[in-house]
């Protein structure tokens, strides 16, 4: 038996070490709005509290190690659970000693450990969804570990054996459900095989089929996640167990993580105390591959070309993974993937203004055609070292980048400039206007986003103590670069507009003389200037955590105690959107004629086709842009307003303790987490053209209790209940101290470093019924009660934070992000998955995977000088989310037809007028995929996405006021997968 080891330090040493660290750390954590950093060390009570909390945990446990030592005469049971067909480990398998009401579940390597087992002979019960249950005998000697390895045969039906390895949908679902059943918290799991059987290129698309998950798309591709119908800023991302910041800050772009590098994805909806509290909606943990997932030498990969319907162009996806293990001690794995698509997106957008009659009148109509080269690249590697059964270490690194190269062909008709706008017999829906100018926004766009995460960590067992430790460094970069031309014609067009068709606004153009226009000029402009639209941000983040766990039995009750501490620091700097203006000399005009490509714009929309619009060589126009910039001596850095620049550093100190009891009827997990968050921010306060550096330091300490109860009603039915406390911290740009002050109109615009974090209490109740055929039927209800929701609005300055000796700014209007009044979200989730193995003959391969979520949300906006508080739904919340799939798996064939639908949802709320609130219309997606496996080593597949050629639509206030209609067409893909 492994004995509990003594540690080479005492509690006094721990106190001394941490105290020295705190005293020497040059970090200011004042809790006062507007205070500036002096550079001297000042430790606040709020900073010391979580540190002392964590210190007490370690001191208590290390000082009382003998009390937790393995009881005299007791032993332990360890082992590995594997598949009997291929020998693969089975993560999430349930291993129980029934006579002791004590057990464990296997980790990602199929390993388990059961502590405090009295000497004797026992029957071990092993189960895994989709596999036959098995009982084995094991003899435990006093103060020794008994090792037992169990191979489970796959489940059978009346038709014979169901070969899970040849059924990728059912096989991956069996793993996912086993890990879900074994988890002590509300969680959904997705395996890499499950991802690969859908037409998904990234994590956002993969998890969109989890109950309660909806996605927001960009040009047809899933990007952001609305977990449980909540705002996208409330969902956190973790890689290999450590939270990481996204390239865009709090709002994570899940499309940056391509599917091929994923091992598993865990979606935790009720976060326990050992996870960061900044997860109001939940936490999505992406596990990358380990070499020990496939012991020995292993190679896999795929290649898949494709075709895009609207662009009539090609895409391709390729990925590869190679790994090897040596002597069950060292393992190395390398993964790489690349996805590229050449896409055309058609877009019609409409802007509105409120007329004298209180109605929304269309004052601007855009016709946009984007040619898009989108690439998604990833490289991941991991080294594992396992010198003994009780020691494991790893180093991993993952780099992902998401790049868009865009050609923008945009034409804008300024209806509001017409001489008879809102006059005569015109209505907001239809009418005729005179003297309408047209302008272009023509040029390339470069969007760059990347995240690089490197992590070191390990797991160690000292007797009955399990210690996990992680350290990571993450660097993110994000930039937008749009050097575009903005030429404008004279106001000479007559426009007959008709907005009765919700999909496509109709514009009939004619000249001032009444002649119909069928070939719209793209070269005859009265004036022109360049717009340099730029944005940039970089983040460096460090994190470290230690988790300690062991089995113990206070008062004779078997349980697992766990405690730990974590430190995170991240610094984000950059500037918000800036616009530079470049005038053009009439003596040096732009050569639009020479940059026409003699090729009509590719579009399924009527407008560009009707008016014979040609594609422009926008990269040639970029040369014209650069020429004009050089002629006028344009300096890009001068175009960035000082009030848009910022640097924000966030430090989070955390400690937690929790205990899990495992009685015969289920489990109870209870604990508390404490986090102290401090912020140091720098920027500029700009009055007129005079910038002055400003800084600010704030901090707050919060406690987050959690309770999770699981009741095994029967062997296959589990009841779960949870109560949680979580927080949603403001974005880095929102916390900037930079402001622009206008004394002439007594207004201030900028960030709010004193914004309060959003707090939430959550309650969950669910019933899960695990079915044959690796199936599940479940119903879940949840509620979240939100205080201090964040919202862009206006307030009146009532203190002296912006005053100077010369100017009192009390009473100014301050436009920034503010805290609203309390809100709440309620929801019900229904799920059913099962392969109908009870059907006769070949029909036994049929199955259904479906879920539905019904939501209701509401919060109260803050009051402003011009508006009263009002009730509104949280952005991103659809009332109904549906996901359904019908699949067939048999004889090496795996096919699936899947459908997704979500109801309308608010995209953005206008702080001044609810008539300007913007909604996304309901969205549907129908996709199909098929795969045929020639053997365990080779498979071919085909996929079709957006079969019904759905459009993306946004509207303002009501469906009759369309804001955007976007089309991107169908996507076809074929490919081959190899696995050795």
């Amino acid at each position: 038996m492994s004995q509990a080891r003594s540690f080479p330090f005492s509690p006094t040493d721990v106190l001394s070490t941490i105290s020295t660290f705190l005293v020497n750390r040059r970090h200011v954590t004042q809790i006062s709005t507007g205070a500036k950093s002096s550079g001297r060390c000042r430790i606040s009570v709020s900073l010391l509290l979580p540190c002392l909390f964590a210190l007490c945990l370690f001191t208590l446990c290390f000082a009382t190690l003998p009390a937790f030592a393995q009881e005299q005469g007791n032993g332990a049971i360890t082992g590995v659970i594997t598949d009997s067909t291929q020998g693969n480990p089975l993560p999430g398998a349930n291993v129980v000693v029934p006579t002791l009401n004590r057990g464990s579940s296997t980790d990602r390597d199929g390993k388990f450990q059961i502590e405090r087992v009295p000497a004797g002979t026992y029957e071990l019960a092993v189960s895994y969804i989709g596999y036959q249950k098995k009982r084995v005998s094991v003899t435990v000697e006093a103060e020794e570990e008994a090792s037992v390895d169990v191979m489970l045969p796959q489940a059978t039906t009346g038709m014979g054996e169901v070969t899970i390895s040849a059924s990728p949908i059912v096989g991956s679902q069996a793993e996912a459900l086993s890990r879900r059943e074994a988890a002590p918290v509300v969680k959904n799991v997705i395996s890499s095989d499950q991802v690969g059987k859908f037409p998904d290129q990234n994590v956002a698309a993969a998890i969109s089929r989890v109950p309660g998950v909806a996605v927001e798309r960009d040009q047809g591709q899933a990007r952001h996640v609305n977990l449980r119908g909540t705002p996208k800023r409330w969902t956190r991302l973790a890689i290999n167990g450590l939270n990481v910041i996204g390239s865009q800050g709090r709002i994570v772009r899940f499309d940056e993580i391509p599917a091929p590098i994923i091992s598993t994805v865990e979606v935790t909806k009720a976060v326990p105390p050992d996870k960061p509290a900044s997860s109001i909606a939940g936490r999505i943990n992406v596990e990358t591959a380990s070499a020990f997932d496939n012991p020995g030498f292993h190679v896999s990969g795929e290649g898949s070309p494709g075709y895009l319907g609207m662009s009539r162009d090609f895409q391709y996806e390729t990925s590869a993974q190679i790994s090897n293990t040596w002597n069950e001690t060292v393992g190395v794995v390398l993964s790489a993937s690349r996805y590229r698509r050449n896409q055309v997106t058609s877009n019609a957008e409409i802007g509105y203004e409120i007329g004298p009659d209180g109605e929304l009148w269309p004052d601007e109509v855009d016709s946009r055609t984007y040619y898009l080269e989108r690439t998604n690249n990833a490289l991941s590697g991991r080294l594992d070292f396992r010198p003994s059964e009780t020691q494991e270490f790893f180093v991993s690194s993952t780099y992902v980048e998401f790049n868009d190269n865009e050609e923008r062909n945009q034409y804008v008709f300024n209806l509001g400039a017409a001489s008879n706008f809102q006059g005569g017999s015109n209505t907001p829906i239809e009418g005729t206007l005179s003297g309408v100018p047209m302008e272009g926004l023509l040029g390339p766009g470069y969007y760059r986003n990347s995240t690089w995460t490197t992590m070191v960590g390990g797991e160690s067992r000292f007797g009955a103590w399990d210690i996990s430790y992680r350290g990571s460094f993450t660097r993110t970069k994000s930039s937008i670069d749009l050097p575009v031309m903005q030429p404008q014609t004279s106001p000479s067009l007559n426009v007959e507009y008709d907005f009765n068709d919700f999909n496509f606004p109709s514009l009939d153009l004619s000249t001032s003389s009444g002649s119909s226009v069928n070939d719209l000029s793209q070269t005859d402009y009265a004036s022109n200037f360049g717009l340099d639209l730029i944005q940039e941000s970089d983040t460096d983040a460090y994190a470290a955590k230690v988790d300690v766990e062991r089995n113990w039995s206070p008062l004779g009750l078997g349980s697992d105690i766990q405690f730990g501490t974590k430190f995170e620091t991240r610094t984000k700097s950059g500037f918000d959107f800036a616009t530079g203006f470049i005038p053009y000399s009439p003596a040096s005009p732009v050569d639009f004629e020479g940059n026409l490509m003699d090729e009509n714009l590719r579009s399924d929309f009527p407008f560009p086709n009707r008016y014979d619009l040609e594609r422009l060589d926008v990269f040639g126009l970029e040369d014209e842009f650069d020429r004009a910039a050089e002629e006028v001596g344009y300096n890009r850095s001068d175009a960035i307003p000082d009030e848009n620049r910022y640097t924000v550093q966030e430090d989070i100190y955390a400690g937690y303790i929790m205990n899990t009891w495992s009685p015969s009827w289920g489990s109870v997990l209870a604990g508390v987490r404490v986090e102290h968050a401090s912020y140091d921010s720098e920027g500029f306060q700009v009055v007129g053209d005079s910038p002055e550096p400003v800084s600010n330091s704030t901090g707050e300490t919060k406690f987050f209790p959690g309770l999770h109860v699981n009741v095994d009603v029967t062997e296959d039915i589990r009841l779960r209940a949870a109560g949680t406390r979580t927080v949603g911290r403001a974005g880095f740009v929102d916390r900037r101290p930079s402001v622009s002050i206008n004394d002439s109109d007594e207004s201030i615009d900028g960030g709010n470093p004193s914004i309060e974090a959003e707090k939430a209490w959550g309650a969950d109740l669910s019933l899960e019924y695990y079915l044959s055929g690796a199936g599940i039927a479940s119903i879940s209800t949840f509620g979240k009660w939100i205080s201090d929701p964040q919202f862009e609005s206006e307030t009146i300055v009532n203190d002296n934070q912006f005053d100077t000796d010369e100017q009192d700014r009390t009473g100014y209007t301050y436009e920034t992000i503010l805290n609203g009044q309390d809100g709440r979200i309620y929801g019900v989730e229904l799920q059913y998955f099962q392969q109908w193995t009870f059907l006769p003959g070949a029909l036994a391969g049929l199955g259904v995977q479906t879920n539905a979520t019904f939501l209701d949300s509401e919060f109260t906006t803050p009051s402003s000088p011009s508006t009263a508080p009002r009730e509104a739904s949280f952005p991103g919340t659809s009332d109904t989310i549906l996901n359904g799939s019908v699949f067939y798996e048999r004889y090496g064939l795996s096919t699936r037809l899947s459908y997704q639908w979500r109801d309308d949802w608010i995209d953005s709320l206008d702080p001044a007028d609810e008539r300007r609130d913007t909604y996304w219309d309901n969205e549907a997606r129908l996709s199909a995929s098929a795969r045929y496996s020639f053997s365990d080593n080779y498979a071919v597949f085909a996929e079709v996405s957006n079969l019904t050629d759905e459009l993306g639509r946004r509207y303002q206030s009501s469906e009759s006021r369309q804001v955007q209609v976007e089309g991107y067409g169908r996507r076809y893909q074929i490919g081959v997968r190899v696995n050795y």
Side-chain angles (χ1 to χ4, degrees), residues 719-730:
L719 178 68
R720 298 182 188 268
T724 56
R725 177 71 164 166
T726 50
V727 67
R729 300 185 174 98

Side-chain angles (χ1 to χ4, degrees), residues 427-493:
T427 72
I429 303 298
E430 53 189 353
T432 302
L433 301 172
S434 303
V436 175
M438 181 192 80
E439 67 182 21
L441 284 170
L442 312 167
Y446 304 101
Y447 302 81
R448 301 288 183 265
N449 297 276
S450 66
T451 299
W452 172 42
T453 297
T454 297
M455 185 180 301
V456 296
E459 315 280 340
S460 298
R461 179 152 40 101
F462 300 97
W465 292 87
D466 289 313
I467 303 178
S468 171
Y469 29 89
R470 299 282 189 276
S472 72
F473 168 73
T474 300
R475 172 168 291 170
T476 71
K477 292 182 175 293
S478 178
S479 66
I480 299 175
D481 183 3
L482 301 175
V484 298
M485 303 292 176
Q486 191 172 20
Q488 189 171 38
T489 68
S490 60
S492 57
L493 287 172

